[in-house]
Amino acid sequence: NYNGMINFGDDGSYFFAKVLSYQGSPELKALHETVRTTGSLTDAETQKLVQMAHPSSLFLPGLVSLSDRQAEILGSYTGTTLYLDGLTELTDSQTKSLAGYQGFALHLGGLTELTDLQAENLAAYEGDLYLQTNELNSKVQDIRFKQD
Protein backbone atom coordinates (compact mmCIF):
# COMPACT_ATOMS: atom_id res chain seq x y z
CA ASN A 1 0.00 0.00 0.00
CA TYR A 2 2.37 2.68 -1.17
CA ASN A 3 0.75 6.08 -1.58
CA GLY A 4 3.80 8.27 -2.19
CA MET A 5 3.29 11.99 -1.79
CA ILE A 6 1.01 13.74 0.68
CA ASN A 7 -0.45 17.22 0.93
CA PHE A 8 1.05 18.67 4.08
CA GLY A 9 -1.62 21.37 4.33
CA ASP A 10 -4.38 21.38 6.90
CA ASP A 11 -6.62 18.91 5.08
CA GLY A 12 -9.01 16.79 7.10
CA SER A 13 -6.75 13.96 8.30
CA TYR A 14 -3.80 16.24 9.05
CA PHE A 15 -5.98 18.68 11.00
CA PHE A 16 -7.67 15.79 12.85
CA ALA A 17 -4.30 14.34 13.88
CA LYS A 18 -3.09 17.71 15.09
CA VAL A 19 -6.20 18.26 17.22
CA LEU A 20 -6.10 14.77 18.74
CA SER A 21 -2.43 14.99 19.63
CA TYR A 22 -2.89 18.13 21.65
CA GLN A 23 -5.83 16.80 23.66
CA GLY A 24 -5.41 14.92 26.89
CA SER A 25 -3.91 15.43 30.30
CA PRO A 26 -1.90 18.49 31.31
CA GLU A 27 1.19 16.25 31.32
CA LEU A 28 0.59 15.22 27.69
CA LYS A 29 0.05 18.85 26.69
CA ALA A 30 3.29 19.80 28.48
CA LEU A 31 5.23 17.16 26.52
CA HIS A 32 3.84 18.51 23.24
CA GLU A 33 4.81 22.02 24.34
CA THR A 34 8.35 20.80 25.08
CA VAL A 35 8.60 19.42 21.54
CA ARG A 36 7.17 22.62 20.08
CA THR A 37 9.58 24.90 21.95
CA THR A 38 12.78 22.81 22.00
CA GLY A 39 12.44 20.45 19.03
CA SER A 40 13.49 17.52 21.18
CA LEU A 41 12.61 15.21 24.06
CA THR A 42 14.54 13.06 26.49
CA ASP A 43 14.24 9.28 26.22
CA ALA A 44 11.99 9.25 29.31
CA GLU A 45 9.77 12.00 27.87
CA THR A 46 9.51 10.11 24.58
CA GLN A 47 8.47 6.94 26.41
CA LYS A 48 5.86 8.82 28.42
CA LEU A 49 4.52 10.57 25.30
CA VAL A 50 4.12 7.26 23.43
CA GLN A 51 2.32 5.72 26.40
CA MET A 52 -0.06 8.67 26.77
CA ALA A 53 -0.68 9.45 23.09
CA HIS A 54 -4.07 9.12 21.45
CA PRO A 55 -4.47 5.72 19.73
CA SER A 56 -5.26 7.25 16.34
CA SER A 57 -2.20 9.44 15.86
CA LEU A 58 0.93 10.90 17.35
CA PHE A 59 1.57 14.30 15.79
CA LEU A 60 5.14 15.59 16.34
CA PRO A 61 5.96 17.99 13.49
CA GLY A 62 8.17 20.06 15.82
CA LEU A 63 10.47 17.17 16.68
CA VAL A 64 13.72 18.00 14.88
CA SER A 65 16.20 15.74 16.66
CA LEU A 66 16.06 12.14 17.72
CA SER A 67 18.32 9.66 19.48
CA ASP A 68 18.53 6.03 18.42
CA ARG A 69 16.68 5.04 21.59
CA GLN A 70 13.91 7.56 20.89
CA ALA A 71 13.50 6.11 17.39
CA GLU A 72 13.06 2.67 18.98
CA ILE A 73 10.45 4.08 21.37
CA LEU A 74 8.56 5.90 18.61
CA GLY A 75 8.70 2.75 16.48
CA SER A 76 6.84 0.96 19.28
CA TYR A 77 3.91 3.43 19.20
CA THR A 78 0.72 1.40 18.73
CA GLY A 79 -1.48 4.10 17.17
CA THR A 80 -2.46 4.20 13.52
CA THR A 81 -0.43 7.19 12.30
CA LEU A 82 2.94 8.63 13.29
CA TYR A 83 3.77 12.16 12.09
CA LEU A 84 7.49 13.01 12.28
CA ASP A 85 7.70 15.62 9.53
CA GLY A 86 10.14 17.87 11.43
CA LEU A 87 13.00 15.39 11.16
CA THR A 88 15.35 16.35 8.32
CA GLU A 89 17.81 13.50 8.75
CA LEU A 90 17.94 10.06 10.30
CA THR A 91 20.67 7.52 11.00
CA ASP A 92 20.64 4.00 9.57
CA SER A 93 19.67 2.67 12.98
CA GLN A 94 16.82 5.17 13.32
CA THR A 95 15.33 4.25 9.93
CA LYS A 96 15.46 0.58 10.90
CA SER A 97 13.66 1.28 14.20
CA LEU A 98 11.00 3.47 12.60
CA ALA A 99 10.40 0.89 9.86
CA GLY A 100 9.33 -1.47 12.65
CA TYR A 101 6.38 0.78 13.44
CA GLN A 102 3.20 -1.30 13.05
CA GLY A 103 0.75 1.54 12.35
CA PHE A 104 -1.04 2.39 9.13
CA ALA A 105 1.01 5.45 8.12
CA LEU A 106 4.47 6.86 8.82
CA HIS A 107 5.06 10.49 7.85
CA LEU A 108 8.69 11.52 7.34
CA GLY A 109 8.06 14.56 5.15
CA GLY A 110 11.07 16.52 6.37
CA LEU A 111 13.69 14.12 5.03
CA THR A 112 15.56 15.50 2.04
CA GLU A 113 17.86 12.55 1.37
CA LEU A 114 18.26 8.87 2.16
CA THR A 115 21.25 6.59 1.84
CA ASP A 116 20.69 3.28 0.07
CA LEU A 117 20.66 1.48 3.43
CA GLN A 118 18.15 3.94 4.90
CA ALA A 119 15.88 3.52 1.88
CA GLU A 120 16.20 -0.26 2.21
CA ASN A 121 15.28 -0.02 5.90
CA LEU A 122 12.24 2.14 5.19
CA ALA A 123 11.17 -0.15 2.34
CA ALA A 124 10.56 -2.79 5.01
CA TYR A 125 7.83 -0.63 6.56
CA GLU A 126 4.54 -2.33 5.74
CA GLY A 127 2.23 0.68 5.98
CA ASP A 128 1.91 3.86 3.93
CA LEU A 129 5.15 5.83 3.92
CA TYR A 130 5.02 9.54 3.21
CA LEU A 131 8.21 11.24 2.07
CA GLN A 132 8.85 14.74 0.74
CA THR A 133 10.05 14.22 -2.83
CA ASN A 134 9.33 11.99 -5.78
CA GLU A 135 13.02 11.05 -5.79
CA LEU A 136 12.88 9.69 -2.24
CA ASN A 137 9.56 7.97 -2.88
CA SER A 138 10.98 6.32 -6.01
CA LYS A 139 14.12 5.18 -4.19
CA VAL A 140 12.05 3.36 -1.55
CA GLN A 141 9.44 2.12 -4.02
CA ASP A 142 12.11 0.63 -6.31
CA ILE A 143 13.47 -1.41 -3.41
CA ARG A 144 9.96 -2.57 -2.51
CA PHE A 145 9.36 -3.74 -6.08
CA LYS A 146 12.64 -5.66 -6.11
CA GLN A 147 11.68 -7.39 -2.86
CA ASP A 148 8.31 -8.56 -4.21
Side-chain angles (χ1 to χ4, degrees):
N1 293 343
Y2 188 80
N3 287 339
M5 298 291 287
I6 186 169
N7 176 359
F8 289 105
D10 277 334
D11 66 15
S13 62
Y14 190 81
F15 180 75
F16 181 70
K18 186 179 350 180
V19 169
L20 285 178
S21 284
Y22 293 107
Q23 292 182 347
S25 71
E27 187 176 17
L28 180 61
K29 290 177 185 177
L31 289 169
H32 277 284
E33 184 63 15
T34 298
V35 171
R36 191 186 69 74
T37 58
T38 68
S40 64
L41 291 167
T42 65
D43 292 355
E45 289 169 331
T46 305
Q47 184 69 49
K48 188 168 289 204
L49 183 61
V50 166
Q51 290 170 346
M52 297 173 66
H54 194 277
S56 73
S57 64
L58 182 52
F59 185 78
L60 298 170
L63 188 65
V64 296
S65 66
L66 191 64
S67 71
D68 288 349
R69 177 67 185 130
Q70 291 163 357
E72 290 174 17
I73 294 166
L74 289 169
S76 72
Y77 171 59
T78 58
T80 58
T81 306
L82 184 55
Y83 291 87
L84 301 172
D85 294 326
L87 297 171
T88 58
E89 60 185 20
L90 292 170
T91 66
D92 297 344
S93 174
Q94 291 166 347
T95 56
K96 186 170 184 126
S97 294
L98 292 173
Y101 169 57
Q102 297 294 308
F104 175 74
L106 176 59
H107 294 252
L108 296 170
L111 297 180
T112 56
E113 58 184 72
L114 291 171
T115 66
D116 291 343
L117 180 56
Q118 291 167 344
E120 187 175 319
N121 288 343
L122 290 175
Y125 175 62
E126 295 181 4
D128 293 333
L129 179 64
Y130 295 95
L131 299 169
Q132 182 178 36
T133 68
N134 286 334
E135 179 183 344
L136 294 180
N137 286 318
S138 293
K139 191 171 193 173
V140 172
Q141 189 173 24
D142 289 347
I143 293 169
R144 284 182 171 176
F145 285 140
K146 288 177 186 173
Q147 292 172 345
D148 288 340

mmCIF file of all heavy atoms in Angstrom, residues 22 45 88 92 127:
data_model
loop_
_atom_site.group_PDB
_atom_site.id
_atom_site.type_symbol
_atom_site.label_atom_id
_atom_site.label_comp_id
_atom_site.label_asym_id
_atom_site.label_seq_id
_atom_site.Cartn_x
_atom_site.Cartn_y
_atom_site.Cartn_z
ATOM 1 N N TYR A 22 -2.990 17.093 20.635
ATOM 2 C CA TYR A 22 -2.889 18.129 21.654
ATOM 3 C C TYR A 22 -3.971 18.025 22.717
ATOM 4 O O TYR A 22 -4.029 18.831 23.615
ATOM 5 C CB TYR A 22 -2.889 19.517 21.005
ATOM 6 C CG TYR A 22 -1.641 19.736 20.182
ATOM 7 C CD1 TYR A 22 -1.695 19.723 18.800
ATOM 8 C CD2 TYR A 22 -0.408 19.906 20.789
ATOM 9 C CE1 TYR A 22 -0.547 19.902 18.046
ATOM 10 C CE2 TYR A 22 0.743 20.078 20.042
ATOM 11 C CZ TYR A 22 0.661 20.083 18.674
ATOM 12 O OH TYR A 22 1.799 20.251 17.929
ATOM 13 N N GLU A 45 10.916 11.227 28.364
ATOM 14 C CA GLU A 45 9.769 12.000 27.868
ATOM 15 C C GLU A 45 9.154 11.340 26.638
ATOM 16 O O GLU A 45 7.931 11.294 26.490
ATOM 17 C CB GLU A 45 10.188 13.432 27.537
ATOM 18 C CG GLU A 45 10.505 14.274 28.745
ATOM 19 C CD GLU A 45 11.156 15.594 28.389
ATOM 20 O OE1 GLU A 45 11.865 15.677 27.347
ATOM 21 O OE2 GLU A 45 10.984 16.557 29.166
ATOM 22 N N THR A 88 14.743 16.125 9.643
ATOM 23 C CA THR A 88 15.346 16.350 8.324
ATOM 24 C C THR A 88 16.418 15.324 7.988
ATOM 25 O O THR A 88 16.853 15.240 6.839
ATOM 26 C CB THR A 88 15.944 17.764 8.225
ATOM 27 O OG1 THR A 88 16.914 17.932 9.259
ATOM 28 C CG2 THR A 88 14.848 18.818 8.347
ATOM 29 N N ASP A 92 21.039 5.326 10.046
ATOM 30 C CA ASP A 92 20.638 4.002 9.570
ATOM 31 C C ASP A 92 19.849 3.267 10.647
ATOM 32 O O ASP A 92 18.812 2.656 10.376
ATOM 33 C CB ASP A 92 21.868 3.172 9.183
ATOM 34 C CG ASP A 92 22.649 3.766 8.029
ATOM 35 O OD1 ASP A 92 22.107 4.638 7.309
ATOM 36 O OD2 ASP A 92 23.806 3.355 7.832
ATOM 37 N N GLY A 127 3.346 -0.245 6.145
ATOM 38 C CA GLY A 127 2.229 0.683 5.984
ATOM 39 C C GLY A 127 2.504 1.690 4.882
ATOM 40 O O GLY A 127 3.381 1.500 4.041
#
